Each structure stands twice: as structure tokens, then as C-alpha cells.
Amino acid sequence: MTEGLLSIRGVTKEFGAVRALDDVSVEIRRGDIVGLVGSNGAGKTTLLRLMCGLYRPSIGEVMFHRDGETLQIDKLRDVVGVVPESTGLYHRLTAWENIRYSSRLHGIPDDVAWDRTQRFARALALDGDLMRHTRGFSRGMRQKTALLRALVHGPEILLLDEPTAGLDVTSARLVRSLVQKLRDEGGTVIYSTHNLFEAEKICDRILIMHNGEIRFDGTPSELMASTESTTIEDAYILLTQDSAREDQNLEREGWFARTWRRFLTGSRPPTVEGGDDDE
């Protein structure tokens, strides 16, 4: 049986009167690509933030299993790589400088970080742009840089929040190919997406979220069989027929990007005066 990696046990997350997640329990196994599927406001991003230790549950626990020990995920942030929807790159730095800054915070020697970066950059067709400043990067190039930054410290689990949203066909395909390569090498990926067909194509397992609840957890074929559907889209509709709640704007504009930056890169580098978000 595949080794367990991350346990989400009876997790509820509340923001004032809003219950973003309601008694969610999920077991993540090592070596899986898990598709996290749901509409805006379903609770996907809140769950991702709990998985990386950025949030703590109001009720329940998120535990990581490592070397026979079980510890709270917020005590082991080095095991997680995160690619948020807002990448939070420093425009005045090159792609490599953005990546290197993150790797140094994780204590990775520059030569090791460079070797890892080159390897994955070749897979993403970004190796020729590593020394360019990110200010002029397209959305796809920014997304690829953020993915390299998330991988440079060798995380055991990779969390992707809409990794192909807004990307051209070629860039999206490269990202999906790299995700599958990571899985083939024993990596574990949580892949949040609105794209049902993308989830069906690359994910070993699908979690359907709706109104803060897990409505389904299983393989794409199990999903269609359990709902007697011929397409994953039909299955999704059957499981989410109750009205979706409105996407609650729980945070001030700009807070999300700043918080991800603190999580990913620590405090702002003193050499970057008033650094910008990439959006």
C-alpha cells in the first residue's frame, strides 16, 4: 500500500461568521497527483493554505508523516513547495535571482540550487531566460519561474493553485508534463484547477470540493462509475447541484500576494526598493 504523507483530520476553518471548510478529512499518499476541483468559493485555496501551514485549522489538524514521526505541517514548511495563483516575483531580480533567494532561505547551496534549476528549467523551456529580469516576463514565464522556485529546495509535496490558468497551450502542456515527471520520480502533487478535463487527464485521484465540503474522493473512473456518468463534467454537476455560495472576499486586496511572499521568501530583500507583485 502506498505510504501516507499528509493527513487532514476533521478540519474546519472559519473566518468570523464564514465557514470556509466544514469537517474536511483527507489522506494524501506519497507519489500521487491529486486534483483539487471546485468552483470559486468552494474552499480549494483555503485547503491549500492549510496544507502548507500558512493557516491553522479552527478545528482539527493537518499532520505530515516523516521518518516514522507525525508532526504538524506548520513545523515542517521545508517539505512543501507552493506555486500560488499570484506568483509574487521580484521584478527587479532575474528569474535565477528570485529562485536563488528562495533556495538560500531554505539553506540550499547555490551550486545545488543551480543544478536543480537548470534541470527543471530545461523541462519548462525556460533555461535560456534564467538571467533575464522578470519585469518583462509573460504570465507563462512568471508561472514557470514560480514553479522552479517551488522546486529548488527539493520539497516532498508540491501545491499548485491553478498552475495553468491563463497560460497558452504550449506552456500549459509543459507544466503538465513536468508535473507528471515529478510523479513518476516519486513526488506528490496537489493540483488545484477549475479545468475538469485537465484534472481527468493528469490526476491519479480527484477531490471534488463544494461549499467547503469534500463531495468526492477517488479516481476519475470511480467518479464516473459512482455517478453513472459518461463524462467527468456530468459527474461533477451531479455532485454539486445545490447552489454554490458566493466567493467570499475574506481579505483585503493585496493581502494574499503579500502573505504568499512572506511564506515563500521571508522578509523583503533590502536590495529591492518597494518590490512589486507580478500582477
Side-chain angles (χ1 to χ4, degrees):
M1 186 174 181
T2 308
E3 180 185 357
L5 187 66
L6 187 68
S7 298
I8 298 130
R9 301 167 177 165
V11 165
T12 293
K13 181 61 180 177
E14 297 175 337
F15 300 93
V18 177
R19 180 166 287 192
L21 294 178
D22 188 7
D23 193 23
V24 169
S25 293
V26 177
E27 293 290 329
I28 304 299
R29 298 183 298 270
R30 191 178 299 274
D32 277 355
I33 301 177
V34 180
L36 191 58
V37 177
S39 61
N40 290 332
K44 302 190 305 299
T45 298
T46 299
L47 183 56
L48 288 175
R49 296 180 193 180
L50 285 160
M51 285 181 175
C52 70
L54 187 62
Y55 283 169
R56 292 184 178 178
S58 303
I59 302 171
E61 59 185 10
V62 182
M63 308 298 290
F64 189 87
H65 309 290
R66 179 193 235 184
D67 298 330
E69 290 187 292
T70 299
L71 300 170
Q72 291 183 3
I73 190 62
D74 60 326
K75 308 298 184 186
L76 290 169
R77 289 186 178 177
D78 62 302
V79 304
V80 182
V82 181
V83 180
E85 192 171 3
S86 176
T87 55
L89 299 176
Y90 297 115
H91 285 165
R92 293 179 178 86
L93 300 182
T94 65
W96 163 238
E97 287 169 340
N98 273 278
I99 296 162
R100 184 181 61 187
Y101 179 60
S102 178
S103 72
R104 286 180 174 180
L105 290 175
H106 285 283
I108 306 299
D110 284 357
D111 58 339
V112 174
W114 177 246
D115 287 344
R116 287 178 180 170
T117 298
Q118 282 194 310
R119 177 190 170 211
F120 291 123
R122 283 193 292 268
L124 293 171
L126 195 71
D127 49 319
D129 298 298
L130 290 174
M131 297 307 174
R132 286 181 54 192
H133 289 86
T134 60
R135 180 175 296 278
F137 275 15
S138 66
R139 177 177 176 83
M141 294 170 71
R142 295 197 304 269
Q143 196 77 346
K144 291 175 186 178
T145 303
L147 184 51
L148 295 175
R149 181 183 60 190
L151 290 169
V152 71
H153 64 285
E156 295 185 50
I157 184 168
L158 182 65
L159 308 181
L160 305 179
D161 194 359
E162 301 290 344
T164 61
L167 301 190
D168 61 77
V169 173
T170 301
S171 294
R173 185 172 184 176
L174 288 171
V175 169
R176 290 194 298 267
S177 295
L178 179 57
V179 167
Q180 291 174 311
K181 180 178 176 61
L182 292 171
R183 185 267 315 277
D184 293 343
E185 294 177 355
T188 306
V189 181
I190 310 298
Y191 196 100
S192 174
T193 181
H194 288 95
N195 190 324
L196 292 167
F197 302 103
E198 184 173 66
E200 181 182 14
K201 186 173 183 179
I202 73 165
C203 296
D204 306 301
R205 176 177 162 203
I206 291 177
L207 302 179
I208 291 182
M209 294 196 69
H210 191 66
N211 292 344
E213 302 171 346
I214 300 290
R215 296 293 175 87
F216 177 82
D217 178 0
T219 66
S221 59
E222 288 171 345
L223 171 59
M224 289 186 280
S226 66
T227 56
E228 299 182 347
S229 303
T230 56
T231 69
I232 195 169
E233 183 178 77
D234 290 341
Y236 175 84
I237 294 299
L238 283 171
L239 291 171
T240 59
Q241 290 186 357
D242 51 312
S243 298
R245 63 190 178 188
E246 293 184 5
D247 188 7
Q248 300 287 337
N249 182 16
L250 301 174
E251 299 133 0
R252 300 191 308 273
E253 183 178 3
W255 185 93
F256 177 50
R258 291 196 300 273
T259 301
W260 274 125
R261 178 185 285 121
R262 287 198 297 271
F263 175 80
L264 294 167
T265 62
S267 58
R268 190 186 306 273
T271 56
V272 181
E273 299 178 2
D276 305 315
D277 286 335
D278 60 343
E279 298 297 324

